[in-house]
Every structure is written in C-alpha cells, then in structure tokens.
Amino acid sequence: MASNLVSYIAQMLTPDMIARIASALGLDSSKVQSAVAAAVPAVLAGLTGVAAQPGGAQKIADTAKQQSGSLDNLMGMLAGGDQASLAQSGSQIISSLFGAKDGSALATAVGGVSGMDQRASGSLLATLAPLVMGGLAQQSGGDLSANGIAGLLASQKDNIAAALPSGVRDLLGGTGLLGSLGASAQTAAASASQAASQAARSAAATASTVGGAGQRAAAAAAPASSRNWLYWVIAALVIAGVLFYLFGRPNEQVAPEAGTPEQSLTVGGLDVGQQVKDGMASLQTTLTGVTDAASATAALPKLEDVSSQLDKVSGVAGQLSAGQKAALTALITPMMPTLNGLFDKVLAIPGVSDILKPTIDALKTKLTALST
C-alpha cells in the first residue's frame, strides 16, 4: 500500500505529461500544473466522502476494478495524445461516482484556485479521473473489495487533507464532499461564519446593554409622571446619542481593506501575483512527490527554481503600492499552513532533511518576507 497516495499519483504526472495535457486543453502549462496540484487531492477527497456513504465504497471498488492493470495503458494514452478517449472515460467516472452536482462543484473549485474556467477544469478532471482510479487500484494491495478500498482511502485522509489547497476546501465546504476528512479539512469559511455569528451576538448584546442604560437614564431623569413631555425628549436624546455613538462617528469608521487578491500585481513588467501562484503550486506538486532521499534529490532543482522565482519577486516588491502589498499578503497567507505542513512532512522523512532543509528554510523565509 502506498505511503502517500497523493504523492504516488502526482509522480505519474511528470512535467512532460502536464505539458501534453495543457496543449490538448489549449492552456498555459503553469495553470495546468496549479490545477493538477488541486485536482488530484480534491478528487481523492471526494472519493473518501463517497466511500463513507452507503454503497459508495462498492461503487468505487467496481470502478477501480475496471482500471486495474491498465495504468500503463492510461499513461500511454496520455503520452500518445489520445486525451479525448481518456477524457470520455473520465467523464463517465466523474458522473457515476459524484453525480452532476458534486462533479460540477469539483470543477468549479479546481478552476477557482487555478484561474481556469469551468469547462477547462471539467475537462482536466475528466482527463485525470482514470489516472486517479488507476493509481487507487494499483495501490490497493490487490484488495479491490469495498472494504479494501474504504480502508485505503481512510488511511490516506491526513495526506489528502494536507495536500488539499485551502481555496479548494473553502469552495467545497458546503458540498459535503469533505465531511469524511475530519477536522483537518473543515473549511475556513465555516470558521469565519462561526466567528461572524459570535461577533454579531456580541454586538447585539453590547447594543442592548447600551440601549438599556439609555432607557434607565431617561427614566431617572424624568419626573414621576410618565405623561410628562420631558420624559420623551430625554429618551429621544439618549437614543439619538446611542445611534450616533454606534454609527455616526466620522473619525472612527473602519477603513476598507487596502487591497484584495484580485488586484493587479504587475510591476516592473513582472506579474508578481502569477509568479507567486505558480511558485506555490510548483512547491505543492514537487513536495508531494518526495518520499525518500532519491526523490528528494530529484526534487531539489525544482525547489531551487521556485526559490529563484521568489528572488525575482523580492527584487520588485519594493515597487508595490500599499494596496498591492496587501493583495500579495492575501494571496500567500492562506496557502502557508498547507505548505508548512508539507515542509514538515518532507523534512521528517529519513535522509531528506540533509538534502532539502537549507533550500526549504530559504523558501520559508522568502515567502514569509513577501507576505508581511
């Protein structure tokens, strides 16, 4: 059984394979690379959710049996340019296992984090689906029963959750596809919603307290007779004061955020945003493929290339406006927990730290500097 199913499948998708997929879809290779890094764990996360449903594990097992022993053929179809047949088979897999609604949600999520439209991301998912199922069958240890497949997916929950970009988790949060991954894959949107609800309750309580104080002050100031006109004047003034305190102070309004991730980050002829996005996607794909010292040695040039890309970004970072700096921070910060988790996992592999630690430490320093 694979120690890391995400890594096993990612290793099959070499840069040459990604370039062929990009050519077939008419897309930039860097976009496809970013989408693949999101799509593989997203599909596996969805399969984990399906496996937890009644009859779901059996459905996955039946589909995996159809791909069992044909992984080399599938890779050959991809290498030979027969992506159309591969995508047709994949469309049937996506439709059968996820249905139209969840299949569309997966395509939307992958497209959302990679900059693809839904048609392109749907085609990419269809191309990858047979490869994912083939990898699942290959790493099942020969046990393609419902229990065997369910056990394999359950054992990979932590690896899948660690490889899943936070943007994908956010976009899939309301679908139920991630429910089986546990707390590590809960969406940031859900946490934000809870925090917002708590803040709203606190604000309401504060307003109620202030309002009550105003009423008591009015009651104390008024004469005993409730019909006295002065009661209503004082009450109105207190209420107006409370409203002004809460909403009308011009010098204490909260300023809007200076920038958003969608803001243009091109400076000095360099698209800083795209450069950083491509670099982080490359990091994720490369790191998930590191399983031992040999693969770490193979990954080192790719990590050094990303480090060089970040150096270029750092060279023009001083020219960014305040809004652009805020947008760059908003772009990098959500991905750092995922990348830091991958950094830690990779460095914990025997023999890997001596090879990659200096480069990884440099990457962490550069990303931190760019996000602050």
Side-chain angles (χ1 to χ4, degrees), residues 270 275-276 278-284 286-287 299-316 339 343 356-370:
L270 179 67
Q275 191 90 346
V276 171
D278 291 347
M280 290 191 296
S282 179
L283 277 179
Q284 191 167 358
T286 302
L287 290 170
L300 182 58
K302 298 177 184 178
L303 297 181
E304 290 175 338
D305 182 59
V306 174
S307 185
S308 297
Q309 292 179 36
L310 295 179
D311 286 338
K312 293 179 182 178
V313 172
S314 299
V316 299
L339 289 175
F343 287 146
L356 296 184
K357 191 175 189 305
T359 303
I360 284 179
D361 286 346
L363 285 167
K364 292 170 71 173
T365 300
K366 292 173 185 179
L367 286 169
T368 299
L370 289 172

Side-chain angles (χ1 to χ4, degrees), residues 113-324:
V113 300
S114 62
M116 289 184 179
D117 60 43
Q118 188 166 358
R119 179 197 61 79
S121 60
S123 297
L124 177 66
L125 280 175
T127 300
L128 295 177
L131 303 178
V132 173
M133 296 306 299
L136 192 65
Q138 189 75 20
Q139 295 301 302
S140 66
D143 185 359
L144 290 175
S145 65
N147 288 337
I149 290 296
L152 172 59
L153 289 170
S155 72
Q156 294 294 315
K157 285 182 180 180
D158 288 344
N159 292 330
I160 294 169
L164 197 65
S166 59
V168 174
R169 291 198 298 270
D170 293 343
L171 292 169
L172 292 180
T175 65
L177 285 168
L178 306 183
S180 294
L181 290 187
S184 60
Q186 295 303 310
T187 65
S191 298
S193 176
Q194 292 173 358
S197 297
Q198 181 61 40
R201 288 194 295 269
S202 298
T206 301
S208 176
T209 300
V210 174
Q215 290 175 353
R216 289 192 296 273
S225 173
S226 62
R227 292 186 296 272
N228 193 301
W229 62 271
L230 186 59
Y231 173 93
W232 301 107
V233 172
I234 294 175
L237 289 173
V238 170
I239 292 172
V242 170
L243 292 174
F244 179 79
Y245 176 82
L246 292 176
F247 305 112
R249 293 174 295 166
N251 293 331
E252 297 184 20
Q253 293 178 352
V254 178
E257 292 185 4
T260 67
E262 289 75 22
Q263 180 172 342
S264 172
L265 292 178
T266 300
V267 60
L270 179 67
D271 188 341
V272 170
Q274 191 62 50
Q275 191 90 346
V276 171
K277 284 177 63 177
D278 291 347
M280 290 191 296
S282 179
L283 277 179
Q284 191 167 358
T285 301
T286 302
L287 290 170
T288 54
V290 176
T291 56
D292 53 26
S295 57
T297 301
L300 182 58
K302 298 177 184 178
L303 297 181
E304 290 175 338
D305 182 59
V306 174
S307 185
S308 297
Q309 292 179 36
L310 295 179
D311 286 338
K312 293 179 182 178
V313 172
S314 299
V316 299
Q319 303 175 41
L320 294 172
S321 67
Q324 288 175 319

Side-chain angles (χ1 to χ4, degrees), residues 165-167 169-170 261 280 328-339:
S166 59
R169 291 198 298 270
D170 293 343
M280 290 191 296
L328 184 61
T329 297
L331 176 66
I332 297 174
T333 301
M335 280 297 297
M336 288 310 298
T338 298
L339 289 175

